[in-house]
Amino acid sequence: MTDQSDTRYHDLMQYWRDNPEAYWMEAAEYIDWDVKPTHALDDSDAPFYRWFSDAQTNTCFNAVDRHVRDGRGDQVAIIHDSPITGTQSKITYAELQDKVAKLAGALAAKGVTKGDRVIIYMPMVPEALVAMLAVVRLGAIHSVVFGGFAANELAVRIDDCAPKAIIAASCGLEPGRTVAYKPLLDGAIEIAEHKPEFTVILQREQLEADLIDGRDYDWNAVQDGVTPAECVPVEGSHPCYILYTSGTTGAPKGVIRSTAGHMVSLYWTMEKIYAVKPGEVFWAASDVGWVVGHSYICYGPLLHGNTTIVFEGKPVGTPDAGTFWRVIEEHKVASFFTAPTAIRAVKREDPAGKLIKDYDLSHLRALFLAGERADPDTIQWAFDHLKVPVVDHWWQTETGFAIAANPLGVEEIPVKLGSPSVPMPGYDVQILDEGGNEMGPNELGAIAIKLPLPPGTLPGLWNADDRFRKSYLTTFPGYYETGDAGMIDEDGYLYIMARTDDVINVAGHRLSTGGMEEVLAGHPDVAECAVIGVTDELKGQLPVGFLCLNAGVNRPHDEVVTEVVKLVREKIGPVAAFKLAVVVDRLPKTRSGKILRATMVKIADGADFKMPATIDDPAILDEIRDALKTIGYAA
Ligand code: COA
Ligand code: AMP
């Protein structure tokens, strides 16, 4: 971004505030357009905003083909590093173009066309990225579903986005456990009302799947003899993908990402936040099923001509807490992104950072953390041992890129531990009181962003305009409600303190306690229930269930607890990490019948709390405390 290149953070923010249209039009120059945009913002349908809506372009062309055209064909685009299988492989941009065009050709031959939805249910293999790119090459819309979700969650997504096809792998690999995907996929298709026309299955040698004749096609066989597909130009506001995320209820929200704004914003972040140059290696140790995986395993690095790493492993145990450092040394990683929980896991196994010393990390220039609150101890530990800037940055599935960060590519601003630093251009972040009034420095309130949100953020929810309005736009008219609470200090630094809804964050995974409650309530012996997120040293939060049983149920409570734990694993998936539940006689409520979950969290965490004025019967809190003590909480 030539004319912004020697600007400092405050100047950049001022430039954006004064000239938002020019700001984003300049950022758009880094994208290849079939038809250039004549303007950035289209507010003709506010509060539904669109960006670069009169442009035509293709995401796959920008992420792959143009790099081959421009001489990067021999550069490695994707490194697959799997400590679980003990294998590594590399794919150059030229090879990636070939693979993507062939798979897209196969999908097109089976009738996939612009606007069709394709679900991708795959583990951390490079074919997951090939599948994403092949879908967008055709102007179709992908929806990647995380492998740790159960069949029922997959079915909910199938019914919501009605895919023409599903691309899956035969299995995923967790340490010590092979996750058979095909039975989950078959189960989901059976549960769902909508039936996809066909599936494409990548057979992995660890566990091959049985294919159903006429519905399931083998990944390789389906590509035999097909004509490779060209990139299909689409409108700037055409959806590139839908990514489901947890909301207040069990029904996930289908966040839409539009083609042009997505590319413009991600390209911008690679340079201005992550401070990498094209050709360098960028690694996000997340999963393609999450937004971090979409933005920073797949699209961001590839749009920017970086080499990305698809890592199939865990921070610890594959084989040890030195894995991250081994990958960074071996592949010369310049910028590394992971969740605080992953660093906490490493720190717990290797508190003195001994394993770090075994590796040459001289290429690493920064560590980025997001997905949950980064506690000061973890940041300090990482900084002391890695001796590079450790950047906490705050964002959401809805925004697709950082709302607040330390923009290393612009200027490294002083770090304040506990704060993800300052808002990025495009985001006018405000702290609001219950009446929607802007609050002063250091005052705690709801975090909201003045509309319009910048390019790349959600233009809406899939097939759910009303829910979009209600979830994000209604509480504070003129603002986007983030669902987070916090404050801004006198220097403009943001502090993210808590969620204002029923979302919890377990090991960097966003989960709905409401969704878990729906599952618990489905158990025949459960009359009433509540799920809260309690503080956990490793995972940030862990869900704990409270069960009130139907009158006359005389079974041992342990049996019911075991059954509900199994039920959540079956219905939501292992990723929910739901392992703790207690049986209680009653739940604490307000006089109007609202369950006092926040007070229960305070009791579990052993924190001070004010007796809610509206509580129906304060004595119940002692019962809750006693129940929590039986599972090691409320100390
Ligand atoms: N497919 C199937 N199952 C999966 C899965 C996947 N893709 N990912 C996780 N699971 C399962 C795990 O096997 C585990 O099952 P278990 O109950 O049988 O042990 C369960 O889901 C919980 O997994 P996880 O949250 O990963 O916990 P863990 O105890 O296995 O590992 C950490 C703990 C901290 C090492 C791990 O959570 C981690 O690496 N976190 C980083 C998270 C991250 O990168 N988030 C992305 C946001 S940036
Ligand atoms: P997700 O949509 O899964 O990325 O989850 C987004 C939510 O995770 C945010 O709304 C926050 O509650 C939380 N979160 C993400 N990053 C941070 C951060 N750096 N600090 C505090 N909370 C964060």
Side-chain angles (χ1 to χ4, degrees):
M1 280 144 226
T2 39
D3 39 4
Q4 300 173 7
S5 59
D6 46 1
T7 331
R8 294 173 60 102
Y9 166 71
H10 285 290
D11 299 332
L12 196 62
M13 278 305 269
Q14 198 54 52
Y15 179 59
W16 160 69
R17 280 184 202 282
D18 294 344
N19 317 275
E21 183 74 12
Y23 186 92
W24 292 117
M25 286 301 275
E26 281 164 27
E29 283 171 20
Y30 295 83
I31 299 306
D32 261 64
W33 305 97
D34 292 87
V35 177
K36 279 192 163 199
T38 60
H39 57 272
L41 178 65
D42 173 355
D43 58 3
S44 55
D45 191 27
F48 293 81
Y49 295 93
R50 298 186 299 168
W51 290 92
F52 311 106
S53 54
D54 67 352
Q56 297 262 334
T57 182
N58 182 281
T59 302
C60 183
F61 182 82
N62 276 278
V64 183
D65 299 57
R66 69 161 166 171
H67 299 312
V68 179
R69 180 198 66 192
D70 297 345
R72 285 192 187 280
D74 292 337
Q75 182 194 313
V76 173
I78 303 174
I79 298 171
H80 183 230
D81 187 309
S82 170
I84 297 194
T85 59
T87 60
Q88 284 189 17
S89 61
K90 292 181 179 172
I91 299 173
T92 64
Y93 272 102
E95 290 164 346
L96 183 59
Q97 183 182 32
D98 193 46
K99 284 175 189 293
V100 169
K102 270 179 73 184
L103 179 64
L107 296 174
K110 295 226 137 316
V112 174
T113 180
K114 183 183 166 197
D116 285 340
R117 275 79 57 212
V118 177
I119 280 187
I120 297 172
Y121 187 54
M122 295 182 90
M124 288 299 285
V125 290
E127 287 84 354
L129 274 59
V130 172
M132 293 161 81
L133 293 161
V135 171
V136 298
R137 191 174 187 85
L138 298 173
I141 303 163
H142 63 68
S143 186
V144 181
V145 179
F146 177 61
F149 281 125
N152 195 56
E153 289 288 324
L154 181 54
V156 169
R157 287 153 176 80
I158 293 174
D159 276 335
D160 197 71
C161 75
K164 183 169 263 178
I166 300 183
I167 306 176
S170 56
C171 67
L173 304 172
E174 283 292 289
R177 183 163 67 97
T178 301
V179 184
Y181 276 32
K182 190 58 179 13
L184 296 171
L185 174 63
D186 290 343
I189 294 176
E190 201 175 310
I191 301 167
E193 272 175 39
H194 171 85
K195 308 291 175 198
E197 287 176 21
F198 69 98
T199 77
V200 175
I201 307 292
L202 175 76
Q203 296 282 20
R204 300 189 77 187
E205 64 181 37
Q206 291 79 9
L207 180 70
E208 295 213 353
D210 293 333
L211 303 187
I212 298 173
D213 245 6
R215 191 199 73 184
D216 301 334
Y217 295 86
D218 171 76
W219 173 279
N220 293 315
V222 79
Q223 298 185 45
D224 263 356
V226 298
T227 310
E230 292 301 326
C231 296
V232 175
V234 298
E235 305 76 42
S237 53
H238 180 73
C240 167
Y241 68 76
I242 304 163
L243 180 58
Y244 287 90
T245 190
S246 301
T248 300
T249 67
K253 296 170 175 169
V255 168
I256 300 172
R257 190 83 56 220
S258 302
T259 298
H262 178 223
M263 289 199 280
V264 171
S265 58
L266 288 189
Y267 192 100
W268 183 92
T269 63
M270 293 307 292
E271 193 179 319
K272 299 298 185 198
I273 298 179
Y274 301 102
V276 284
K277 301 260 173 297
E280 292 187 312
V281 182
F282 182 88
W283 178 28
S286 177
D287 188 286
V288 283
W290 307 115
V291 68
V292 175
H294 282 64
S295 293
Y296 294 112
I297 295 174
C298 186
Y299 291 110
L302 296 181
L303 286 165
H304 195 245
N306 289 100
T307 298
T308 186
I309 300 181
V310 174
F311 174 73
E312 186 175 41
K314 299 268 174 176
V316 293
T318 60
D320 58 29
T323 303
F324 278 177
W325 324 127
R326 194 258 315 150
V327 172
I328 292 170
E329 174 189 283
E330 222 167 297
H331 304 303
K332 301 186 170 50
V333 173
S335 201
F336 177 41
F337 182 159
T338 190
T341 190
I343 300 293
R344 285 197 296 271
V346 170
K347 177 175 156 227
R348 194 163 77 166
E349 300 248 319
D350 182 21
K354 283 197 188 126
L355 292 169
I356 298 178
K357 297 192 180 74
D358 292 345
Y359 298 95
D360 170 9
L361 305 185
S362 54
H363 287 88
L364 185 71
R365 295 198 299 270
L367 167 67
F368 290 86
L369 300 174
E372 55 171 330
R373 184 172 173 271
D375 51 291
D377 279 357
T378 301
I379 295 185
Q380 195 63 54
W381 183 89
F383 179 71
D384 289 346
H385 290 93
L386 297 173
K387 301 186 173 57
V388 294
V390 178
V391 176
D392 175 18
H393 58 330
W394 169 60
W395 50 300
Q396 312 182 307
T397 303
E398 288 85 344
T399 63
F401 71 102
I403 308 167
N406 193 333
L408 293 193
V410 180
E411 173 192 9
E412 186 185 341
I413 60 163
V415 171
K416 291 198 187 190
L417 286 178
S419 163
S421 298
V422 290
M424 291 295 92
Y427 294 103
D428 183 349
V429 182
Q430 299 291 338
I431 307 296
L432 304 182
D433 67 16
E434 278 176 10
N437 306 301
E438 292 182 5
M439 301 175 79
N442 300 311
E443 287 184 325
L444 192 61
I447 311 180
I449 302 166
K450 234 182 209 156
L451 295 173
L453 293 176
T457 57
L458 83 170
L461 295 175
W462 185 254
N463 276 342
D465 283 354
D466 276 353
R467 190 170 182 200
F468 175 64
R469 282 177 199 273
K470 275 194 203 118
S471 303
Y472 304 108
L473 308 179
T474 306
T475 312
F476 305 116
Y479 295 84
Y480 163 83
E481 183 183 4
T482 65
D484 284 312
M487 60 186 195
I488 300 179
D489 74 8
E490 56 288 347
D491 298 322
Y493 282 64
L494 257 160
Y495 292 80
I496 316 299
M497 315 299 276
R499 288 286 305 190
T500 55
D501 55 13
D502 298 327
V503 165
I504 57 169
N505 210 308
V506 181
H509 308 316
R510 174 167 159 183
L511 299 164
S512 160
T513 53
M516 293 186 217
E517 287 176 4
E518 285 172 29
V519 174
L520 301 188
H523 187 284
D525 292 344
V526 173
E528 199 180 16
C529 63
V531 174
I532 59 168
V534 301
T535 300
D536 181 73
E537 230 176 75
L538 176 66
K539 297 196 176 188
Q541 283 182 300
L542 273 184
V544 170
F546 294 82
L547 313 167
C548 300
L549 304 185
N550 287 317
V553 173
N554 290 320
R555 306 167 54 206
H557 291 171
D558 285 358
E559 266 181 39
V560 184
V561 166
T562 306
E563 285 167 15
V564 296
V565 166
K566 193 161 160 268
L567 206 57
V568 174
R569 196 175 170 97
E570 275 167 16
K571 294 270 183 201
I572 297 179
V575 68
F578 182 85
K579 297 192 171 155
L580 296 170
V582 286
V583 173
V584 291
D585 287 337
R586 304 170 296 168
L587 293 171
K589 291 185 185 169
T590 60
R591 280 187 283 278
S592 61
K594 201 172 165 298
I595 299 173
L596 291 161
R597 292 182 183 79
T599 308
M600 293 161 81
V601 172
K602 292 249 164 66
I603 294 173
D605 291 349
D608 293 339
F609 68 92
K610 234 171 75 191
M611 182 64 70
T614 53
I615 191 164
D616 186 34
D617 177 2
I620 302 181
L621 295 184
D622 292 329
E623 294 168 27
I624 294 294
R625 185 176 290 110
D626 290 344
L628 278 163
K629 280 186 178 156
T630 65
I631 54 166
Y633 287 88

